[in-house]
Amino acid sequence: METIVIIGNGIAGVSAARHIRKLSDKRIIIVSAETDYFFSRTALMYVYMGHMKFEHIQPYENWFWEKNRIELVRGYVDHVDVANKKLLIDGSRALPYDNLVVATGSKPNKFGWPGQDLHGVQGLYSKQDLDLLEVNAPNKEVCKRAVIVGGGLIGIELAEMLRSRDIPVTFLVREKNFWNGVLPEGESKMINEHILEHHIDLRLATNLKEIVSDENGKVKSIIIAETGEELPCDMVGLTAGVTPNIDFLKDSGIELGRGVKVNRFLETSAKDVYAIGDCAEQHVAIGYRRPIEPVWYTGRMMCETLAQTLCGNRIEYKPGHWFNSAKFLDIEYQTYGWVFSERGRKDYEAQFHWRHPKEKICVTISFHNDTQQFLGINTFGIRMRHEVFDRWLTENRDMDYVIEHLIDANFDPEFYKHHEAAIVAQYNAEFNKQVKSRKKSLKRIFVSS
Amino acid sequence: MSTYDRSMSLAGPPANIQWHQKLSILLGMFGLCIILLAGFNVEFPNRGLWLTTALTSIFAGTVWFSWDLYRGKYPGIKNDKVWFRSISNLGLGGWLLGIGITAFYIILYFYPEYLGLAKKGPNTGIIALFDPLSKMLSGNPASQWFVYGTLYTVGILAFGIKFMWKYRHNRYERIRTMSVMFFQTAFAFLIPEFMARLNGSSVLQGGSLPFLDLKNIWPLNYYNFESYRVKGFLSSGDIGFAMLIFAIASVFVITPFLTYKFGKRWYCSWVCGCGGLAETVGDSFRQLSDKSVRAWNIERWVVHSVVVFVTLMTTAVIYSYLGNDTSKYWLTKKTFLIGVGVLLTAVFALVMIFKRDEFKKDAKYGAIGYLIVILALIGFHFYSGDGHVFLFQSGTLRKSYSFLIGSIFSGVIGTGFYPILGNRGWCRFGCPMAAMMGFQQRLFSRFRITTNGGQCISCGNCSTYCEMGIDVRAYAQKGENIVRSSCVGCGICSAVCPRGVLKLENGPQKGRIDANQVLLGNDVDLMNLVNQK
Ligand SMILES: Cc1cc2nc3c(=O)[nH]c(=O)nc-3n(C[C@H](O)[C@H](O)[C@H](O)COP(=O)(O)OP(=O)(O)OC[C@H]3O[C@@H](n4cnc5c(N)ncnc54)[C@H](O)[C@@H]3O)c2cc1C
Ligand code: SF4
Ligand code: SF4
């Protein structure tokens, strides 16, 4: 029987195993170092905050694996021998494979800051990082102040976590506004305000110069590059992005860039070796996507394709329209299609921005300057329907149509206040139009079913 | 150093937070102590005043405490530290509280004399303390049920306010909670008491109505069609007759219609008193429900057995007081039994004809089994004599139902075990009303929880906070809608989801459960391919 070995039991590796099992009877072995069972990395924060216990963030009960004949091996792969189709686990055990799937995810970036390896300095990626955080910052008595370096999605999650235990947090963000490499300015600024509302000491356009040690090799303070100010602290969180976790492949002969290089079939340069999830790097970026896409959803999508390929139906990885979501403290964020920040803005891209006069709710819709074609939407504090936007993007709808039917896309819970009227009014005023909001139609919404 | 100080004050909690909490707890405890002292037969000179003080302190203490808990916090999900507190994580605190409430229920149901219920003469103890209020409302002295009803209502109101603060960003939760608070106060508490005043009056043509909470529908209200009640209705003129008709229509028309339109949530999360208590007083325990597949299996067996039990029991009870002679009463023993048989068979046949495919295999076997049992037992009747129904004495059947299900299950275990089984233990494992509506919700209803395409990150908040123990995530992460018979539509899964994945809504039945509609983000060709399987 053919044996498929998967390295990494994250969302990518596990979804691959599940899909392969659905399509075939092949032997499936998952080797992973971090934990015995798959857990949801995206939910680590909720364990520290006390919303859930660690067992709750494991999406499958423990009997699931045996029942589906997915063999789990706990161990670290040090070496892949592609010539003999063998792995070496923990320096001792050899494991042969017929097909190998590399799904080893990422690790936190470290940019060579002085003091980055001191005690009390850590990233937030793994279960081990979570355990370490309980040591470094169990409460506000042990950790009188924490400093977070890097204003991305993980940084703001870490800030929220620490604040849930009343630990004072200073948040160093390199950009002029929070996450404004991705978000248009209006949205970035709204999030700035919200961060301050949560009593987080947000320092914009601020870089870390060095982390200072006390006599025991533990962090004592940090120094800010711009001002030279020294901030005493007991914990430093490094959350300035992630890089593929592929050092163990360096001598394997598999072609590597920042990640494991793959083609559109997710095949690496070595025969019968594939890579998926955070650690895969496309030779050529797909559409506006980046060559490496370290998000939950792409890992999951790649598996559906790869499972087909491994089960005899070789097909290309073709992600559909881009979507993503996150939560900034109390504000939910969703995006469908492409809305670029000032930095990445295309010359044909125009944007329409509406913000609620009082509450932290806003919407940005981007469209093509000449054709008026709808390109994408960012929403904050309003939930939107994935299916509807996906359809509109496929159908190349124009801006007027989207504005007119925006109510169909609303996904807020029942009885929520609607903002479509205000949005339409501002759109009409700004672009000198006479668009009227349609009535919500279940027929249109559920058209595909 | 200056910045350090500045944000310390920003970040530090207001200094008075501590004493607010302590005082509010003290105030609530004071109220409870008055009642407890009355229980030890401490004589209060002015009972009306002391009762008012006690109830006001409990109410105000709870509301003050919750105000202090949520004030100054930005609206949003407030589940920090839930699993760190021993009261809400199955720790010692939870067990002690569970034992405490259980003990209260045992006294209430089986030893009301300890609460001061007197068989003859005036009440004493706690019940006497409640006499003034009862006399004011209905004109009668209090009973243990009046005491319980009053505390129950105060609980729903005070903790309802807490719940509305906790979810103040979520209008679905706020409006729903106002609804349960209203139905509890008006329908369960005040109206029946007022109606008692009418007993014997000319409005009822001299008859007297049984105590009736109009929203309490059979089979939850398993005794509603017992002989003494039906006699009471029929003796009370047009009003009594209208109420009987309403009680019957509730079962056969209103409930199926509303469940079709909105799912069973219209009752379980908007109207029902058991649900009301669970959602308000029990809210802090919702995360304790067991999500394992094993628990789900147990749930299905137990709750459906209760349905069979209550159907048998009610049939038996009604049967036993009907006559054989059509001239006295149009409904005779025989026509009644035939009616029940025809109805059950009709329902079963309809399901089999129209919903065969949606019915999972095991449920099908279960249904067939149960149907045979019921029909067989009805068959037995023709071989059994008067007073006996089927194989049993109808009185015995009724008594054991009322003891096992009515008292032990719904009260002692259902509420007493909040801190152990979660707040909906009864609703999930025991309530026959929920099971019957659930059956309909699964097969004939417009209600579903829509999963928002591929946005789920499998975090598990939804499953953890589902009080009915539904593994919501298992569906959401596959892009499937959630159509589960046990879902009471509380909306919490949707509220706690950090990615806006879930929406409770009513829509066309077509495609409601279609697992083929998965939109996880891949392009259309692959979707088609995956769906062909
Ligand atoms: C705190 C946090 C929050 C996030 N939130 C979101 C979010 O909201 N939305 C979103 O889209 N994305 C989010 N992400 C990103 C998302 O979690 C990742 O994109 C995703 O988990 C990657 O999955 P993966 O399967 O590729 O890799 P991983 O989940 O990293 O799994 C790889 C596994 O392989 C193991 N491994 C690595 N090397 C070896 C080896 N040599 N031998 C054996 N085992 C090995 C690792 O220990 C790990 O367990 C978040 C990430 C973090 C850290
Ligand atoms: S599935 Fe959601 S709405 Fe239904 S009972 Fe569970 S938490 Fe409530
Ligand atoms: S809470 Fe939302 S994101 Fe989390 S598992 Fe449930 S549906 Fe998915």
Side-chain angles (χ1 to χ4, degrees):
Chain A
M1 195 172 23
E2 195 185 322
T3 301
I4 299 180
V5 175
I6 300 171
I7 314 178
N9 69 355
I11 179 68
V14 159
S15 307
R18 274 185 43 236
H19 285 285
I20 296 167
R21 175 54 72 239
K22 246 197 255 169
L23 299 173
S24 79
D25 243 356
K26 299 177 200 290
R27 182 166 183 214
I28 304 172
I29 303 172
I30 303 182
V31 187
S32 200
E34 185 179 358
T35 49
D36 288 338
Y37 298 108
F38 168 51
F39 72 93
S40 177
R41 197 173 297 295
T42 52
L44 279 175
M45 63 182 295
Y46 299 108
V47 178
Y48 178 86
M49 295 186 1
H51 294 208
M52 288 187 272
K53 295 205 282 182
F54 187 74
E55 66 192 54
H56 296 124
I57 70 169
Q58 296 181 162
Y60 303 98
E61 287 184 64
N62 292 350
W63 48 259
F64 176 87
W65 311 103
E66 204 184 315
K67 180 166 173 249
N68 288 289
R69 285 168 295 124
I70 297 171
E71 295 166 47
L72 304 180
V73 175
R74 175 100 184 247
Y76 185 80
V77 177
D78 327 83
H79 182 71
V80 176
D81 177 355
V82 293
N84 300 308
K85 298 184 118 183
K86 260 193 338 218
L87 308 176
L88 191 65
I89 302 174
D90 290 332
S92 53
R93 271 188 293 170
L95 182 68
Y97 65 81
D98 295 308
N99 286 296
L100 178 67
V101 179
V102 180
T104 51
S106 313
K107 57 179 194 225
N109 280 335
K110 287 186 175 181
F111 291 122
W113 292 293
Q116 66 182 15
D117 294 317
L118 291 173
H119 287 301
V121 181
Q122 68 165 111
L124 177 66
Y125 191 84
S126 62
K127 168 74 164 63
Q128 286 70 27
D129 290 336
L130 179 72
D131 297 340
L132 191 58
L133 191 62
E134 286 289 355
V135 176
N136 288 333
N139 54 48
K140 64 175 195 277
E141 283 74 39
V142 172
C143 180
K144 295 192 190 63
R145 172 162 298 267
V147 173
I148 298 173
V149 184
L153 297 176
I154 299 181
I156 196 165
E157 284 186 5
L158 182 56
E160 182 178 359
M161 291 160 73
L162 294 163
R163 290 301 299 132
S164 78
R165 298 198 186 176
D166 291 325
I167 295 171
V169 173
T170 297
F171 193 8
L172 306 188
V173 174
R174 190 182 52 182
E175 292 77 20
K176 241 174 42 224
N177 291 298
F178 177 77
W179 215 37
N180 76 355
V182 178
L183 299 179
E185 189 175 89
E187 304 174 343
S188 271
K189 285 191 165 155
M190 189 178 87
I191 302 301
N192 291 346
E193 294 165 27
H194 188 55
I195 293 174
L196 293 172
E197 259 172 355
H198 273 265
H199 311 304
I200 293 163
D201 174 25
L202 175 67
R203 309 285 186 95
L204 295 169
T206 304
N207 284 278
L208 173 70
K209 181 161 163 235
E210 90 171 86
I211 305 170
V212 184
S213 169
D214 69 4
E215 57 280 10
N216 304 319
K218 190 180 166 300
V219 56
K220 176 177 93 181
S221 63
I222 59 119
I223 296 176
I224 290 173
E226 282 72 14
T227 58
E229 181 188 354
E230 182 171 357
L231 264 176
C233 60
D234 300 299
M235 183 257 168
V236 176
L238 300 179
T239 57
V242 294
T243 342
N245 187 4
I246 51 165
D247 290 346
F248 73 104
L249 291 176
K250 281 216 169 107
D251 57 355
S252 67
I254 301 173
E255 186 188 349
L256 305 177
R258 269 211 323 126
V260 184
K261 290 278 193 183
V262 293
N263 61 17
R264 283 294 287 268
F265 296 90
L266 305 168
E267 297 158 341
T268 67
S269 64
K271 195 171 172 301
D272 297 328
V273 180
Y274 305 81
I276 51 175
D278 277 22
C279 66
E281 177 180 359
Q282 287 286 330
H283 287 292
V284 183
I286 304 173
Y288 292 139
R289 289 164 184 267
R290 284 171 295 167
I292 300 176
E293 289 188 289
V295 288
W296 189 258
Y297 312 111
T298 45
R300 202 176 54 192
M301 273 147 45
M302 287 177 187
C303 306
E304 293 184 352
T305 324
L306 179 64
Q308 293 285 340
T309 301
L310 285 173
C311 297
N313 175 26
R314 186 167 177 265
I315 57 173
E316 266 186 47
Y317 169 54
K318 272 199 265 174
H321 300 291
W322 169 253
F323 69 95
N324 201 1
S325 62
K327 193 171 179 187
F328 305 106
L329 302 157
D330 291 311
I331 303 178
E332 286 173 20
Y333 153 73
Q334 297 185 334
T335 182
Y336 302 99
W338 292 109
V339 179
F340 288 101
S341 68
E342 277 68 21
R343 201 202 295 164
R345 184 85 44 94
K346 311 285 168 222
D347 44 12
Y348 56 77
E349 183 186 343
Q351 289 184 354
F352 165 66
H353 179 70
W354 171 86
R355 181 170 168 186
H356 192 281
K358 285 207 271 323
E359 287 166 65
K360 297 262 176 327
I361 300 176
C362 77
V363 170
T364 307
I365 308 180
S366 77
F367 57 98
H368 196 292
N369 235 333
D370 308 326
T371 62
Q372 297 285 305
Q373 187 190 331
F374 165 69
L375 300 174
I377 184 167
N378 280 358
T379 70
F380 290 77
I382 304 182
R383 294 176 174 180
M384 293 284 183
R385 214 179 272 270
H386 187 173
E387 204 176 342
V388 168
F389 278 115
D390 201 68
R391 194 188 311 144
W392 289 349
L393 285 164
T394 304
E395 293 168 352
N396 290 327
R397 293 294 182 178
D398 66 17
M399 203 42 191
D400 286 1
Y401 182 91
V402 169
I403 295 282
E404 206 174 301
H405 296 87
L406 203 55
I407 200 160
D408 285 352
N410 185 291
F411 201 71
D412 274 340
E414 294 152 301
F415 303 112
Y416 266 43
K417 286 217 184 70
H418 277 277
H419 306 288
E420 284 81 9
I423 296 175
V424 172
Q426 184 179 326
Y427 177 74
N428 285 338
E430 218 165 278
F431 298 98
N432 209 358
K433 303 243 184 180
Q434 265 88 40
V435 175
K436 271 218 188 82
S437 188
R438 294 282 198 103
K439 271 210 152 134
K440 174 178 168 180
S441 154
L442 289 179
K443 253 216 196 97
R444 282 197 304 265
I445 295 174
F446 294 112
V447 66
S448 62
S449 31
Chain B
M1 215 40 214
S2 63
T3 5
Y4 189 64
D5 288 341
R6 187 196 63 189
S7 30
M8 252 319 264
S9 64
L10 269 178
N16 54 5
I17 212 162
Q18 292 296 331
W19 69 259
H20 267 294
Q21 285 197 359
K22 280 184 189 146
L23 277 187
S24 60
I25 294 176
L26 218 63
L27 183 63
M29 286 296 172
F30 168 68
L32 274 180
C33 275
I34 297 177
I35 296 180
L36 218 62
L37 284 178
F40 289 108
N41 283 321
V42 174
E43 272 299 324
F44 287 101
N46 185 341
R47 282 182 185 147
L49 189 69
W50 280 104
L51 177 67
T52 316
T53 314
L55 295 180
T56 317
S57 311
I58 294 175
F59 181 82
T62 313
V63 170
W64 184 3
F65 183 84
S66 3
W67 171 76
D68 189 61
L69 203 58
Y70 302 125
R71 86 197 155 109
K73 287 197 183 154
Y74 204 82
I77 296 307
K78 300 280 170 273
N79 287 334
D80 287 354
K81 304 191 179 150
V82 163
W83 286 94
F84 301 154
R85 297 196 186 102
S86 87
I87 197 141
S88 57
N89 74 359
L90 276 182
L92 184 66
W95 280 97
L96 289 179
L97 184 68
I99 291 169
I101 313 177
T102 306
F104 168 73
Y105 272 92
I106 290 175
I107 295 176
L108 177 76
Y109 278 104
F110 305 114
Y111 305 100
E113 57 274 18
Y114 290 125
L115 298 176
L117 186 74
K119 292 227 170 63
K120 272 187 250 129
N123 291 322
T124 55
I126 295 181
I127 298 185
L129 185 68
F130 281 71
D131 273 342
L133 182 62
S134 179
K135 284 188 180 137
M136 195 175 88
L137 294 174
S138 67
N140 305 320
S143 65
Q144 79 270 38
W145 301 122
F146 181 79
V147 172
Y148 179 50
T150 311
L151 293 176
Y152 200 104
T153 309
V154 169
I156 287 188
L157 291 178
F159 282 87
I161 291 173
K162 172 171 186 276
F163 189 84
M164 288 200 293
W165 264 329
K166 180 171 174 188
Y167 288 101
R168 68 181 185 274
H169 61 293
N170 188 316
R171 275 188 95 205
Y172 179 79
E173 297 305 334
R174 274 187 359 241
I175 296 177
R176 179 171 77 70
T177 305
M178 282 182 238
S179 171
V180 288
M181 285 160 72
F182 165 76
F183 277 102
Q184 174 61 29
T185 318
F187 281 67
F189 186 60
L190 294 178
I191 295 179
E193 297 295 335
F194 292 149
M195 279 191 335
R197 285 195 175 262
L198 297 178
N199 283 346
S201 73
S202 59
V203 188
L204 301 182
Q205 295 174 1
S208 68
L209 286 171
F211 182 95
L212 179 64
D213 171 356
L214 279 171
K215 65 168 176 50
N216 207 357
I217 300 170
W218 183 90
L220 179 57
N221 185 351
Y222 56 91
Y223 44 78
N224 210 12
F225 297 113
E226 282 173 17
S227 158
Y228 78 96
R229 295 180 67 89
V230 174
K231 274 193 198 125
F233 286 130
L234 291 178
S235 76
S236 304
D238 290 342
I239 294 187
F241 190 66
M243 283 184 171
L244 183 60
I245 297 293
F246 182 76
I248 296 172
S250 298
V251 182
F252 294 107
V253 183
I254 300 175
T255 300
F257 176 73
L258 291 176
T259 308
Y260 170 73
K261 293 278 284 188
F262 307 113
K264 77 189 204 192
R265 57 185 172 147
W266 76 269
Y267 193 74
C268 299
S269 293
W270 286 72
V271 172
C272 180
C274 305
L277 193 74
E279 293 290 343
T280 52
V281 178
D283 174 58
S284 309
F285 308 109
R286 59 175 60 249
Q287 66 282 357
L288 299 175
S289 61
D290 189 337
K291 317 306 189 290
S292 66
V293 171
R294 201 184 53 127
W296 184 16
N297 286 331
I298 296 174
E299 165 196 320
R300 280 183 295 183
W301 277 103
V302 174
V303 78
H304 292 117
S305 308
V306 177
V307 172
V308 173
F309 193 5
V310 77
T311 312
L312 277 177
M313 185 275 284
T314 309
T315 313
V317 165
I318 297 179
Y319 172 87
S320 66
Y321 67 74
L322 289 175
N324 285 320
D325 187 356
T326 38
S327 63
K328 274 200 243 149
Y329 213 41
W330 64 271
L331 192 62
T332 61
K333 280 186 186 321
K334 204 164 160 190
T335 36
F336 174 68
L337 275 194
I338 293 171
V340 173
V342 168
L343 189 75
L344 288 176
T345 317
V347 169
F348 190 68
L350 281 176
V351 169
M352 282 325 217
I353 293 165
F354 292 109
K355 298 283 166 175
R356 224 176 4 237
D357 306 334
E358 293 176 26
F359 222 13
K360 291 252 169 67
K361 244 189 205 145
D362 52 350
K364 191 147 77 185
Y365 290 132
I368 293 174
Y370 280 140
L371 188 78
I372 291 172
V373 172
I374 288 175
L375 291 178
L377 284 180
I378 288 177
F380 275 132
H381 143 71
F382 295 102
Y383 303 97
S384 58
D386 241 12
H388 292 249
V389 179
F390 318 140
L391 297 174
F392 318 94
Q393 201 86 30
S394 73
T396 322
L397 209 55
R398 189 245 178 241
K399 260 198 220 125
S400 29
Y401 186 89
S402 142
F403 174 76
L404 284 175
I405 312 295
S407 310
I408 300 281
F409 208 152
S410 82
V412 180
I413 299 181
T415 313
F417 285 20
Y418 271 10
I420 292 145
L421 289 178
N423 55 335
R424 289 264 193 184
W426 157 251
C427 310
R428 178 183 182 191
F429 293 101
C431 178
M433 174 93 186
M436 284 166 72
M437 286 189 296
F439 186 72
Q440 189 192 339
Q441 170 161 289
R442 178 84 178 68
L443 299 176
F444 303 98
S445 171
R446 291 166 56 82
F447 171 69
R448 90 292 308 274
I449 302 177
T450 303
T451 287
N452 202 11
Q455 289 283 22
C456 175
I457 52 168
S458 302
C459 71
N461 276 296
C462 52
S463 297
T464 304
Y465 286 90
C466 175
E467 52 193 356
M468 295 304 279
I470 298 172
D471 190 358
V472 183
R473 165 175 58 194
Y475 303 86
Q477 66 190 359
K478 285 190 275 183
E480 288 175 17
N481 289 349
I482 296 102
V483 180
R484 275 280 291 269
S485 51
S486 60
C487 169
V488 291
C490 65
I492 294 297
C493 53
S494 157
V496 297
C497 173
R499 293 294 177 272
V501 177
L502 305 164
K503 179 175 166 71
L504 285 68
E505 61 185 344
N506 315 307
Q509 263 193 289
K510 191 161 167 280
R512 192 174 62 127
I513 323 184
D514 214 339
N516 281 348
Q517 295 304 321
V518 283
L519 172 80
L520 289 175
N522 268 306
D523 78 319
V524 200
D525 299 347
L526 179 67
M527 307 283 310
N528 291 341
L529 188 79
V530 172
N531 285 340
Q532 277 162 18
K533 305 280 158 196

